[in-house]
Amino acid sequence: MKILIVTLLLLIGIFITGCYQAHSPHPPLESTITPFENELCTPPQSIPINNEANVRLPERIKAYAVNRYIDPANPRIMHERHVMYRIEEDPTWQLATDESRQILIGNTLTDGKLNYNPVLMEKELALELQHQRIINEVLQSHSDMLIDTGANLHKDHAIMLERSEQLRKALEEQGKIIAEMKERLDSKN
């Protein structure tokens, strides 16, 4: 009887320990990852592929033209013709490889992440801001110059109108003088 109880307890213990194994959600990658021996060798901080489409496929959306229809939830509502968009495929990883493309794996030549470097970003933003300020000053000076030119043209236009009116009056007076002289000549003949 003792042997039966011990055997039963042993089988239950084996069953419980056999069922309980700590499974990691992902297989261990220690065999594929090479350790970096010194401080100069850093792991890559960005995707070493020129195009992100080589790594990830975007979602696929399809458009459907829907004609008029009565709303199934409320028969008092009619929908007019419109376009309906449906996500056909969610984004997925690109698992197919291209034999002509070489994927660079390993150490990079730089010692840090180039995509996000706060110091470089601040310098670049400061230079861009300075460049935009210079452009703004040039545009403002051109705008002021155009406003001044427009005002000068308006003044010149007013002066030209005044002079043309004076010339018209002078021509009318000259026309009257010529008409009087013509009358005198006609009366003497």
Side-chain angles (χ1 to χ4, degrees):
M1 179 83 167
K2 285 186 179 182
I3 295 177
L4 183 61
I5 294 175
V6 171
T7 307
L8 186 59
L9 287 175
L10 187 60
L11 285 174
I12 291 173
I14 290 172
F15 180 73
I16 290 174
T17 57
C19 290
Y20 179 75
Q21 291 181 357
H23 294 288
S24 64
H26 303 288
L29 296 174
E30 286 83 19
S31 62
T32 60
I33 297 176
T34 58
F36 294 97
E37 289 83 17
N38 57 28
E39 297 170 0
L40 295 176
C41 296
T42 58
Q45 300 291 321
S46 63
I47 299 173
I49 297 174
N50 295 338
N51 190 351
E52 191 176 321
N54 293 328
V55 177
R56 187 126 169 106
L57 297 173
E59 65 184 7
R60 193 169 59 110
I61 299 173
K62 191 169 182 182
Y64 295 93
V66 180
N67 288 326
R68 284 182 167 186
Y69 67 95
I70 297 172
D71 194 328
N74 187 351
R76 299 177 75 181
I77 297 175
M78 181 186 77
H79 292 266
E80 189 59 61
R81 181 172 191 235
H82 63 279
V83 178
M84 180 181 73
Y85 300 96
R86 181 173 180 259
I87 296 175
E88 296 288 321
E89 289 181 20
D90 289 330
T92 60
W93 292 105
Q94 171 69 286
L95 298 178
T97 59
D98 184 6
E99 297 296 328
S100 65
R101 182 174 40 89
Q102 179 183 6
I103 299 174
L104 301 175
I105 299 175
N107 299 335
T108 59
L109 298 175
T110 60
D111 60 350
K113 187 174 183 179
L114 291 179
N115 292 343
Y116 181 72
N117 187 338
V119 175
L120 290 177
M121 286 182 72
E122 283 183 30
K123 287 181 182 177
E124 185 178 350
L125 285 173
L127 286 173
E128 183 62 27
L129 183 62
Q130 182 181 7
H131 182 69
Q132 291 298 324
R133 285 181 179 156
I134 291 170
I135 290 173
N136 191 25
E137 289 174 4
V138 170
L139 288 174
Q140 186 65 38
S141 67
H142 286 303
S143 175
D144 293 342
M145 186 175 63
L146 286 173
I147 290 171
D148 292 342
T149 304
N152 290 338
L153 285 174
H154 184 68
K155 288 177 186 176
D156 291 345
H157 181 7
I159 292 171
M160 294 296 282
L161 284 176
E162 186 178 319
R163 284 185 184 170
S164 67
E165 184 63 28
Q166 289 172 354
L167 287 174
R168 188 185 63 75
K169 288 180 180 177
L171 282 173
E172 284 178 4
E173 289 176 12
Q174 291 295 324
K176 288 179 185 177
I177 293 173
I178 291 173
E180 286 176 9
M181 291 175 81
K182 189 176 181 184
E183 283 179 20
R184 285 183 195 168
L185 274 172
D186 288 340
S187 65
K188 288 184 179 180
N189 289 338

